[in-house]
Amino acid sequence: DTAVSQTPKYLVTQMGNDKSIKCEQNLGHDTMYWYKQDSKKFLKIMFSYNNKELIINETVPNRFSPKSPDKAHLNLHINSLELGDSAVYFCASSQELKGYTFGSGTRLTVV
Amino acid sequence: GENVEQHPSTLSVQEGDSAVIKCTYSDSASNYFPWYKQELGKGPQLIIDIRSNVGEKKDQRIAVTLNKTAKHFSLHITETQPEDSAVYFCAPQGGKLIFGQGTELSVKP
């Protein structure tokens, strides 16, 4: 059983399109995150949700909209994709003061 | 703002040697200190962590040491093996959720 699963694993799309990435965790964790990893491997927090409530929203363009239908799911919708959005996006979950469990990542390529 | 720095950014060792990666942080509210290992094509995976009331923790070939006064903690890997080759991240937790820049460890057989 995968603890944090995200789909799709690969996503190739054209500029201007709208796409979604889904994430689900079966660990019973209260907090879920979206991270962006660029080509230099920097991991940057984008959003954090605690029990379906947004608690962190870093300086991310408003073309990115997270949605948490319940505490086990956190989806990421991206409008009007741009070349600079190409990266690997990781979903993660955690309980307070415990380590994160990451998904295996979604490699987004915008052409 | 809060700052997290990892050194070195790349590290190459011979199989069997030891490797040490250091993480320096600025947020004095940090009280949980994990290390993650990211293998190619995978997500980061927690390998060891330490809390602020402990100075050192060991798990087989890996250990973490914490100096809260100086605001740094280090990952130590002994008897390195080729499968230890990966990118390692520190992520001290207090207020902001910031990861270090990563250290690419290469273990040559």
Side-chain angles (χ1 to χ4, degrees):
Chain A
D1 277 347
T2 307
V4 178
S5 59
Q6 53 183 110
T7 54
K9 191 167 172 65
Y10 299 97
L11 187 51
V12 181
T13 188
Q14 288 190 323
M15 276 174 56
N17 282 352
D18 303 339
K19 289 292 176 187
S20 291
I21 308 171
K22 295 187 175 183
C23 180
E24 175 182 4
Q25 55 99 359
N26 62 7
L27 298 165
H29 288 168
D30 288 329
T31 309
M32 294 185 72
Y33 313 83
W34 277 108
Y35 275 85
K36 180 180 180 180
Q37 186 171 47
D38 63 21
S39 56
K40 292 183 180 175
K41 301 288 186 185
F42 291 143
L43 271 165
K44 192 157 188 246
I45 181 82
M46 299 173 70
F47 301 103
S48 171
Y49 269 73
N50 185 277
N51 250 321
K52 301 195 301 176
E53 189 179 327
L54 179 66
I55 55 171
I56 290 178
N57 182 354
E58 287 295 303
T59 49
V60 175
N62 56 14
R63 298 181 294 104
F64 290 78
S65 52
K67 282 198 170 52
S68 183
D70 55 61
K71 81 170 197 177
H73 294 85
L74 180 61
N75 304 322
L76 184 65
H77 189 76
I78 317 169
N79 287 332
S80 304
L81 278 155
E82 299 177 357
L83 292 177
D85 297 332
S86 296
V88 182
Y89 292 84
F90 286 101
C91 176
S93 71
S94 76
Q95 282 293 94
E96 190 178 341
L97 273 197
K98 292 188 182 177
Y100 299 94
T101 302
F102 282 85
S104 55
T106 296
R107 182 174 291 277
L108 171 66
T109 304
V110 182
V111 297
Chain B
E2 288 87 355
N3 197 36
V4 177
E5 287 190 8
Q6 243 180 272
H7 294 282
S9 56
T10 60
L11 181 57
S12 182
V13 299
Q14 283 297 130
E15 184 176 359
D17 286 351
S18 295
V20 181
I21 304 169
K22 186 175 177 179
C23 182
T24 305
Y25 61 95
S26 61
D27 185 2
S28 36
S30 297
N31 51 11
Y32 173 65
F33 306 91
W35 283 96
Y36 294 84
K37 176 184 181 182
Q38 185 177 22
E39 294 174 313
L40 202 59
K42 297 184 179 178
Q45 184 181 11
L46 178 70
I47 55 171
I48 196 166
D49 56 12
I50 197 168
R51 297 183 195 280
S52 57
N53 57 346
V54 178
E56 182 174 355
K57 182 176 175 181
K58 194 172 179 185
D59 182 4
Q60 299 183 345
R61 295 187 298 106
I62 59 173
V64 55
T65 56
L66 171 65
N67 184 328
K68 240 194 148 208
T69 306
K71 293 186 190 165
H72 64 74
F73 62 114
S74 298
L75 176 69
H76 305 255
I77 307 174
T78 58
E79 299 168 39
T80 52
Q81 300 167 4
E83 50 266 38
D84 294 329
S85 296
V87 180
Y88 291 83
F89 293 94
C90 64
Q93 272 180 246
K96 259 337 205 164
L97 299 173
I98 301 176
F99 276 73
Q101 309 94 313
T103 296
E104 187 166 359
L105 173 65
S106 175
V107 181
K108 298 187 190 314

